[in-house]
Amino acid sequence: MDEKEVRRVVETYSDMILRISYNYLQHTFDSKDICQTVLLKYMINGETFDTEEHEKSWIIRTTINACHDLRRSAFFKRTVSLDAVVEKEAPVAPASELLDEIKKLPLNYRISIYLYYYEGYSVKEISAVMDKPISAVSKYLYRGRQELKKSLTRDNAINVKAGELYE
């Protein structure tokens, strides 16, 4: 793999990898480690992709798998949070009450909603990326929306009509 290709991949996907892994793990340092791991796997793998979407899907799936692996590792279970350390955060969308509520959702709901609304994936594509049935992803999205609606209306944080929430 030549240097030009490596630069293209890093510039194209590093922010997305950081956002997904931060959304999943909620730790900046772990997100950076995952980003390095995924990019290294991409460079070592040498796999060819049919389309740009296939490449993006592979990177997202690899990111999610790397996050799963880290969360299951003994190291992750024995570490103490570094939230007290002031450090530059992974690139995330501007702080809002909606994003704070999304972060409180269960993992599958949070990832499904993120991929659907922020990355623009369809339910079928999310199903393939998460390796879950389409019906499960639809339920994650539905239940996640319901939980968001409950928490946002309960707190009177945002009063919007249906359909305006994600515009």
Side-chain angles (χ1 to χ4, degrees):
M1 181 173 282
D2 65 346
E3 183 179 345
K4 186 178 177 182
E5 178 67 12
V6 170
R7 286 186 188 276
R8 180 193 69 80
V9 171
V10 169
E11 289 171 5
T12 304
Y13 297 113
S14 60
D15 284 343
M16 181 186 68
I17 295 168
L18 283 171
R19 285 192 314 266
I20 290 171
S21 58
Y22 181 79
N23 193 3
Y24 199 91
L25 301 169
Q26 307 214 346
H27 295 285
T28 304
F29 300 106
D30 293 334
S31 299
K32 290 178 181 179
D33 290 343
I34 294 296
C35 186
Q36 288 179 341
T37 301
V38 170
L39 292 172
L40 187 60
K41 282 182 182 180
Y42 181 89
M43 290 176 222
I44 292 172
N45 190 12
E47 186 174 334
T48 57
F49 300 99
D50 301 332
T51 63
E52 195 171 303
E53 282 301 312
H54 181 223
E55 178 182 60
K56 185 176 179 182
S57 179
W58 184 90
I59 287 178
I60 290 173
R61 182 73 248 164
T62 304
T63 301
I64 291 171
N65 286 342
C67 290
H68 278 297
D69 293 345
L70 182 63
R71 289 184 77 180
R72 282 189 289 241
S73 71
F75 171 78
F76 191 80
K77 292 176 182 173
R78 293 183 190 153
T79 58
V80 177
S81 175
L82 295 175
D83 291 341
V85 177
V86 177
E87 183 65 31
K88 185 178 177 184
E89 293 289 322
V92 296
S96 74
E97 294 173 21
L98 178 60
L99 287 175
D100 291 340
E101 292 301 319
I102 290 173
K103 289 178 184 177
K104 294 176 186 175
L105 292 173
L107 182 63
N108 285 330
Y109 298 175
R110 187 171 63 233
I111 296 297
S112 298
I113 285 175
Y114 178 80
L115 290 175
Y116 188 80
Y117 290 105
Y118 290 91
E119 294 297 330
Y121 275 73
S122 69
V123 174
K124 184 177 180 182
E125 291 169 327
I126 295 170
S127 165
V129 167
M130 292 180 69
D131 197 27
K132 302 279 184 181
I134 293 174
S135 60
V137 172
S138 295
K139 283 183 182 179
Y140 297 154
L141 287 169
Y142 174 78
R143 291 176 181 164
R145 288 183 200 117
Q146 293 302 313
E147 285 196 25
L148 281 174
K149 183 178 178 181
K150 276 191 257 181
S151 64
L152 292 173
T153 54
R154 178 182 55 235
D155 298 339
N156 292 324
I158 300 176
N159 290 322
V160 293
K161 296 176 185 172
E164 294 179 354
L165 190 59
Y166 298 102
E167 294 183 329

